[in-house]
Amino acid sequence: RKEVEQDPGPFNVPEGATVAFNCTYSNSASQSFFWYRQDCRKEPKLLMSVYSSGNEDGRFTAQLNRASQYISLLIRDSKLSDSATYLCVVTPPGRDDKIIFGKGTRLHILP
Amino acid sequence: EPEVTQTPSHQVTQMGQEVILRCVPISNHLYFYWYRQILGQKVEFLVSFYNNEISEKSEIFDDQFSVERPDGSNFTLKIRSTKLEDSAMYFCASSTMTSGEKTQYFGPGTRLLVL
């Protein structure tokens, strides 16, 4: 099983729709979780951290399910500017100085 | 807003040559990282650096690679005797790692092409 696994997509979604991504991780002792977004040929940028209790930032909601070892990201009322690759990121246990990226899920918002 | 900067933005080199990629991390950050991303593939961890020494490195980071913090602001990645497969985007990142803040902030990257 890969350390961090994501559906590569692409997800083609009409503007205004709700879209959800899942990500699974292999090490049950992983401690920190993040969603980054990456635009084409650009650097990854932090979208949000993922907390055990779940967290929301505007149109974005992140959830963590430790029992099933998956993380989700929900985007409501999607906008054209949400088109990007969404990267699931996990910190291995005891190694806060290293993060492991998933390959990313590509999202295309259609006008 | 403070940001990580990297130079050059693009580098073309001949196979076998040495390249040095430069990064200026965010000024109050203490942890520094290099990652690479081969075209179409995932972002891969290379090395982390803290207190003037390597704290973690991946299996990719072999003797061909070295890192240095030559002064109080720059953080460099040296690739000796470059190979074709070293062609990739190289990202520098930094973080504070204080009070539970683990977020890593990435620079815009250096696109390296080895011919």
Side-chain angles (χ1 to χ4, degrees):
Chain A
R1 186 176 178 183
K2 292 180 184 174
E3 289 180 293
V4 181
E5 201 152 3
Q6 297 182 250
D7 182 341
F11 284 46
N12 297 308
V13 174
E15 192 175 7
T18 295
V19 60
F21 307 133
N22 284 335
C23 162
T24 57
Y25 58 95
S26 61
N27 192 326
S28 60
S30 297
Q31 296 182 339
S32 300
F33 309 90
F34 308 88
W35 284 102
Y36 278 73
R37 74 170 271 169
Q38 186 176 28
D39 293 293
C40 188
R41 296 178 179 270
K42 299 286 188 182
E43 73 273 24
K45 290 188 177 177
L46 179 70
L47 182 64
M48 57 197 305
S49 302
V50 185
Y51 303 121
S52 296
S53 55
N55 48 301
E56 188 173 311
D57 183 1
R59 298 182 293 108
F60 299 86
T61 301
Q63 297 278 349
L64 168 63
N65 185 320
R66 284 193 182 272
S68 302
Q69 293 175 221
Y70 81 78
I71 308 146
S72 64
L73 177 67
L74 183 78
I75 306 174
R76 288 181 298 278
D77 186 24
S78 53
K79 303 191 184 305
L80 295 176
S81 57
D82 294 333
S83 297
T85 296
Y86 289 82
L87 308 175
C88 176
V89 175
V90 173
T91 301
R95 295 305 321 206
D96 283 346
D97 59 344
K98 177 180 177 180
I99 59 176
I100 300 169
F101 283 84
K103 199 170 177 183
T105 299
R106 287 173 55 202
L107 174 65
H108 297 307
I109 303 300
L110 307 172
Chain B
E1 184 177 329
E3 55 185 23
V4 177
T5 60
Q6 290 186 241
T7 54
S9 58
H10 295 78
Q11 174 93 49
V12 181
T13 191
Q14 295 288 328
M15 190 170 58
Q17 295 297 304
E18 174 181 288
V19 295
I20 298 176
L21 311 182
R22 291 183 168 79
C23 168
V24 179
I26 294 172
S27 61
N28 65 336
H29 285 187
L30 303 175
Y31 289 77
F32 315 113
Y33 313 84
W34 283 102
Y35 294 83
R36 79 171 185 191
Q37 186 175 31
I38 295 170
L39 189 63
Q41 299 189 24
K42 68 175 184 177
V43 178
E44 298 175 291
F45 170 81
L46 291 178
V47 65
S48 58
F49 191 87
Y50 170 70
N51 200 25
N52 283 319
E53 60 182 28
I54 291 173
S55 53
E56 172 102 16
K57 60 182 181 179
S58 72
E59 59 276 6
I60 303 168
F61 194 89
D62 58 21
D63 292 343
Q64 184 194 5
F65 295 90
S66 62
V67 290
E68 195 177 29
R69 189 154 160 84
D71 53 43
S73 59
N74 289 286
F75 178 51
T76 62
L77 174 69
K78 183 189 290 186
I79 310 175
R80 287 181 283 275
S81 188
T82 49
K83 310 188 197 78
L84 297 176
E85 55 265 35
D86 293 328
S87 295
M89 188 74 134
Y90 288 82
F91 293 109
C92 173
S94 68
S95 65
T96 59
M97 299 289 284
T98 57
S99 303
E101 175 53 63
K102 303 183 177 80
T103 303
Q104 296 187 21
Y105 296 87
F106 284 75
T110 294
R111 186 169 297 281
L112 176 66
L113 178 61
V114 182
L115 302 176

